Amino acid sequence: MPTSLVPPFTRETAIAKVRMAEDGWNSRDPERVSKVYTEDSQWRNRAEFPRGRKEIVEFLTRKWARELDYRLIKELWAFEDNRIAVRFAYEWHDDGGHWFRSYGNENWEFDAEGLMQRRFASINDMPIREEGRKFHWPLGRRPDDHPGLSDLGL
């Protein structure tokens, strides 16, 4: 499933690629998200190392069953040729109603068709009080007028 956003990236196409990824993850649809990765994509996500779309779908299914009311913002950090680095934050709660803000960085590498072939993520979770939440849009895509990470001071 090739994409029109292919390397080498410009600043504009890298920003568009980051927003496309954010929108996909905010859908919380593992099948949809998996389609932007190569069939043999390699991940590192915390202590898990999914390989290929099937394992990515399984991973995301478990993730979103545990991380409820998930809302994510991604921001471009750097790019060059077929690689993009992003920083992100997302808010979620567990089944006990405890809220968290998870902060992280990702390094992405793409094939010539614009599919992500490698994803390395480092993530830290911070407990927050519900009144400390900053991501309040309805579940799904972040509205265009909602502040980004830098605007929120995150």
Side-chain angles (χ1 to χ4, degrees), residues 28 63-71 91-100 139:
R28 296 175 333 278
K63 173 186 179 60
W64 290 320
R66 183 179 64 252
E67 296 177 354
L68 306 174
D69 290 324
Y70 175 97
R71 290 170 178 84
E91 293 180 350
W92 58 281
H93 68 86
D94 63 17
D95 58 4
H98 302 103
W99 282 91
F100 299 87
L139 289 176

Coordinates of all heavy atoms in Angstrom, one line a residue, residues 28 63-71 91-100 139:
R28 N -7.1 4.5 16.5 CA -7.0 3.3 17.4 C -7.5 2.1 16.6 O -8.1 1.2 17.2 CB -7.8 3.6 18.7 CG -7.2 4.6 19.6 CD -7.9 5.0 20.8 NE -9.4 4.8 20.8 CZ -10.3 5.6 20.3 NH1 -9.9 6.7 19.7 NH2 -11.5 5.3 20.4
K63 N -2.4 -2.9 23.2 CA -2.1 -1.5 23.6 C -3.4 -0.8 23.9 O -3.6 -0.2 25.0 CB -1.2 -0.8 22.6 CG -1.0 0.7 22.9 CD -0.2 1.3 21.8 CE 0.0 2.8 22.0 NZ 0.8 3.1 23.2
W64 N -4.3 -0.7 22.9 CA -5.5 0.1 23.0 C -6.5 -0.6 23.8 O -7.5 0.1 24.2 CB -5.9 0.5 21.6 CG -5.0 1.5 21.0 CD1 -4.3 2.5 21.7 CD2 -4.5 1.6 19.7 NE1 -3.5 3.2 20.9 CE2 -3.6 2.7 19.6 CE3 -4.8 0.9 18.5 CZ2 -3.0 3.1 18.4 CZ3 -4.2 1.2 17.4 CH2 -3.3 2.3 17.3
A65 N -6.4 -1.9 24.2 CA -7.3 -2.5 25.1 C -6.9 -2.1 26.6 O -7.7 -2.0 27.5 CB -7.2 -4.0 25.0
R66 N -5.6 -1.7 26.7 CA -5.1 -1.3 28.0 C -5.1 0.2 28.2 O -5.3 0.7 29.3 CB -3.7 -1.9 28.2 CG -3.0 -1.7 29.4 CD -1.6 -2.4 29.4 NE -0.7 -1.7 28.5 CZ -0.3 -2.3 27.3 NH1 -0.7 -3.5 27.0 NH2 0.5 -1.7 26.5
E67 N -4.7 0.9 27.2 CA -4.6 2.4 27.2 C -5.9 3.0 26.7 O -6.1 3.2 25.5 CB -3.4 2.9 26.4 CG -2.1 2.4 27.0 CD -0.9 2.7 26.1 OE1 -1.0 3.3 25.1 OE2 0.2 2.5 26.6
L68 N -6.8 3.3 27.6 CA -8.2 3.7 27.3 C -8.3 5.2 27.0 O -7.5 6.0 27.6 CB -9.1 3.3 28.4 CG -9.1 1.8 28.7 CD1 -10.0 1.5 30.0 CD2 -9.5 0.9 27.6
D69 N -9.2 5.6 26.2 CA -9.4 7.0 25.8 C -8.1 7.7 25.4 O -7.8 8.9 25.7 CB -10.0 7.8 27.0 CG -11.5 7.4 27.2 OD1 -12.1 7.1 26.2 OD2 -11.9 7.4 28.4
Y70 N -7.3 7.0 24.6 CA -6.0 7.3 24.1 C -6.1 8.5 23.1 O -6.9 8.5 22.2 CB -5.5 6.1 23.3 CG -4.2 6.3 22.6 CD1 -3.0 5.9 23.2 CD2 -4.2 6.8 21.3 CE1 -1.8 6.0 22.5 CE2 -3.0 6.9 20.6 CZ -1.8 6.5 21.2 OH -0.6 6.5 20.5
R71 N -5.3 9.6 23.4 CA -5.2 10.8 22.5 C -3.8 11.1 22.4 O -3.1 11.3 23.4 CB -6.0 11.9 23.1 CG -7.5 11.8 23.0 CD -8.2 12.9 23.8 NE -9.6 12.8 23.8 CZ -10.3 12.0 24.6 NH1 -9.8 11.2 25.5 NH2 -11.7 12.0 24.5
E91 N -2.1 10.9 26.1 CA -2.8 10.8 27.4 C -3.8 9.6 27.3 O -4.4 9.3 26.2 CB -3.6 12.0 27.7 CG -2.7 13.2 28.0 CD -3.4 14.5 28.4 OE1 -4.6 14.6 28.3 OE2 -2.7 15.4 28.8
W92 N -3.9 8.9 28.4 CA -4.8 7.7 28.5 C -5.0 7.4 29.9 O -4.4 7.9 30.8 CB -4.1 6.5 27.8 CG -2.7 6.2 28.3 CD1 -1.6 6.8 28.1 CD2 -2.4 5.1 29.3 NE1 -0.5 6.2 28.9 CE2 -1.1 5.2 29.6 CE3 -3.2 4.1 29.9 CZ2 -0.4 4.3 30.4 CZ3 -2.6 3.2 30.7 CH2 -1.2 3.3 31.0
H93 N -6.0 6.5 30.1 CA -6.2 6.0 31.5 C -6.3 4.5 31.5 O -6.6 3.9 30.4 CB -7.4 6.6 32.1 CG -8.8 6.3 31.5 ND1 -9.5 5.2 31.9 CD2 -9.5 6.9 30.6 CE1 -10.6 5.1 31.2 NE2 -10.6 6.1 30.3
D94 N -6.1 3.9 32.6 CA -6.2 2.4 32.7 C -7.7 2.1 33.2 O -8.5 3.0 33.3 CB -5.2 1.8 33.7 CG -5.3 2.4 35.1 OD1 -6.4 2.9 35.5 OD2 -4.3 2.2 35.9
D95 N -7.9 0.8 33.3 CA -9.3 0.4 33.7 C -9.7 0.8 35.1 O -10.8 0.7 35.5 CB -9.5 -1.1 33.4 CG -8.6 -2.0 34.1 OD1 -7.8 -1.5 34.9 OD2 -8.7 -3.2 33.9
G96 N -8.7 1.2 35.9 CA -9.0 1.7 37.2 C -9.3 3.2 37.3 O -9.5 3.8 38.3
G97 N -9.2 3.9 36.1 CA -9.5 5.3 36.0 C -8.3 6.2 36.3 O -8.4 7.4 36.4
H98 N -7.1 5.6 36.4 CA -5.8 6.3 36.6 C -5.3 6.9 35.3 O -5.1 6.1 34.4 CB -4.8 5.4 37.3 CG -5.3 4.9 38.6 ND1 -5.7 3.6 38.7 CD2 -5.4 5.4 39.8 CE1 -6.0 3.3 39.9 NE2 -5.9 4.4 40.6
W99 N -5.1 8.2 35.3 CA -4.6 8.9 34.1 C -3.1 9.0 34.0 O -2.5 9.1 35.0 CB -5.2 10.3 34.0 CG -6.7 10.3 33.5 CD1 -7.8 10.2 34.3 CD2 -7.1 10.3 32.2 NE1 -8.9 10.2 33.5 CE2 -8.5 10.2 32.2 CE3 -6.5 10.3 30.9 CZ2 -9.3 10.2 31.0 CZ3 -7.2 10.3 29.8 CH2 -8.6 10.3 29.8
F100 N -2.6 8.9 32.7 CA -1.2 9.0 32.5 C -1.0 9.9 31.3 O -1.8 10.0 30.4 CB -0.6 7.6 32.2 CG -0.8 6.7 33.3 CD1 -1.9 5.9 33.4 CD2 0.2 6.5 34.2 CE1 -2.1 5.0 34.5 CE2 0.1 5.6 35.3 CZ -1.1 4.9 35.4
L139 N -12.7 11.7 20.9 CA -11.8 10.6 20.4 C -11.7 10.6 18.9 O -12.7 10.9 18.2 CB -12.3 9.2 20.9 CG -12.1 9.0 22.4 CD1 -12.8 7.6 22.8 CD2 -10.7 9.0 22.8

